[in-house]
Amino acid sequence: MIVVKKKIAVFSTGWCAEILTEFITGMQKELEGDNADIFLFLCFASPADSPASRVGELNIYNLPDLHDFDGVVIFGSGMDYSDRVDNILARCKEADIPVVIQGLKRDGISFVGADNYQAMKDLCEHVINKHDVKDIVFLGGSKDSQDSELRLSALKDYLREHNVENYLREDHHTNWENSEAARITNEICKSGKKLPDAFICGN
C-alpha cells in the first residue's frame, strides 16, 4: 500500500530564526508518525530594503501552488507585510485548505501566540514599581508589526490608566534595524540631556 504524505507549507521571514527553529522543531515532533512533510518558504525581506529588493525577497511566497498542499502555517513574527499575508490567505481559501497563523491575528483564522499586551503591562508595572522608572524611551519595530504596535499600545495604556503618561518621553520606530536603534541611542547620549531611566523595546 502506498501512503501519500500530507504536505504543509510554512511561510516566514528568517529574522526570527531562533524562535522559528523552535517552532519548526515543535511541528516536526508533533507530526512524527503522521506521514507529513513540511515545506518552508523563507525570505529576508526588510522594511529597510529598496522596494525592488523587497518585492524580489517576497516573491518566494508566490512560488507554491497551494492546491498542492494540505495545509498552511504562517509564522507571523517578523512578517510585517499585511498584503502578502492577505494574499496567502486568499489563495488558501481558493484552494480550500486550513490555515494556522502564529503571531498575527486575522478574523476567522486559527491563531497561536502570546499575550503581548498583558506581558507589556506586567513589564511596565515591574519597572515602575520595583525600579522607580519615571522616564521611558520606547524603541519599536515597524509600524506594520502587530507585536510591536500592541506592545506600544499596552505601554501607553498602562501609563494612562495610572495617570503617568508623562513617563513616556518619546517612542521610535526602528524598522528592526540595529543601526537605527544605535543611531537613536547615540543621539540621546550626545544630546547632553539626562538619560532615560529605561529603554523599553518592542522586540
Side-chain angles (χ1 to χ4, degrees), residues 23 73-77 99-105 109-116 147:
F23 189 84
V73 174
I74 299 174
F75 190 80
S77 295
V99 187
V100 174
I101 299 184
Q102 174 277 342
L104 290 172
K105 285 191 176 178
I109 305 296
S110 297
F111 170 74
V112 176
D115 187 348
N116 289 298
D147 283 352

Side-chain angles (χ1 to χ4, degrees), residues 8-176:
I8 300 172
V10 177
F11 295 89
S12 180
T13 66
W15 297 116
C16 300
E18 200 169 313
I19 57 174
L20 175 62
T21 299
E22 292 296 320
F23 189 84
I24 296 291
T25 300
M27 282 185 65
Q28 288 173 322
K29 286 180 180 176
E30 286 299 315
L31 292 171
E32 278 178 357
D34 284 344
N35 291 310
D37 285 329
I38 297 169
F39 296 78
L40 179 60
F41 298 91
L42 181 79
C43 71
F44 281 87
S46 165
D49 289 340
S50 69
S53 292
R54 194 158 50 250
V55 167
E57 286 282 348
L58 292 170
N59 261 341
I60 193 165
Y61 298 156
N62 298 323
L63 180 64
D65 180 347
L66 295 184
H67 294 89
D68 296 334
F69 290 85
D70 299 287
V72 162
V73 174
I74 299 174
F75 190 80
S77 295
M79 198 165 162
D80 302 337
Y81 308 98
S82 292
D83 59 331
R84 293 294 85 210
V85 173
D86 291 342
N87 174 269
I88 294 167
L89 291 175
R91 289 159 53 207
C92 289
K93 184 175 181 180
E94 195 274 328
D96 195 26
I97 56 174
V99 187
V100 174
I101 299 184
Q102 174 277 342
L104 290 172
K105 285 191 176 178
R106 286 288 195 280
D107 289 342
I109 305 296
S110 297
F111 170 74
V112 176
D115 187 348
N116 289 298
Y117 185 83
Q118 188 58 48
M120 179 55 79
K121 282 191 155 188
D122 292 345
L123 173 67
C124 293
E125 184 166 353
H126 176 79
V127 297
I128 289 170
N129 294 330
K130 299 294 185 184
H131 300 283
D132 200 30
V133 166
K134 296 178 180 174
D135 184 13
I136 298 166
V137 171
F138 181 84
L139 301 177
S142 70
K143 290 180 180 179
D144 293 327
S145 169
Q146 274 189 17
D147 283 352
S148 179
E149 291 300 279
L150 190 63
R151 291 165 188 158
L152 177 57
S153 293
L155 168 62
K156 289 180 175 179
D157 288 349
Y158 180 90
L159 298 179
R160 186 182 65 256
E161 289 162 9
H162 292 80
N163 298 310
V164 289
E165 292 161 279
N166 60 310
Y167 283 13
L168 180 59
R169 181 196 297 189
E170 55 196 64
D171 62 86
H172 300 272
H173 289 96
T174 66
N175 288 326
W176 308 116

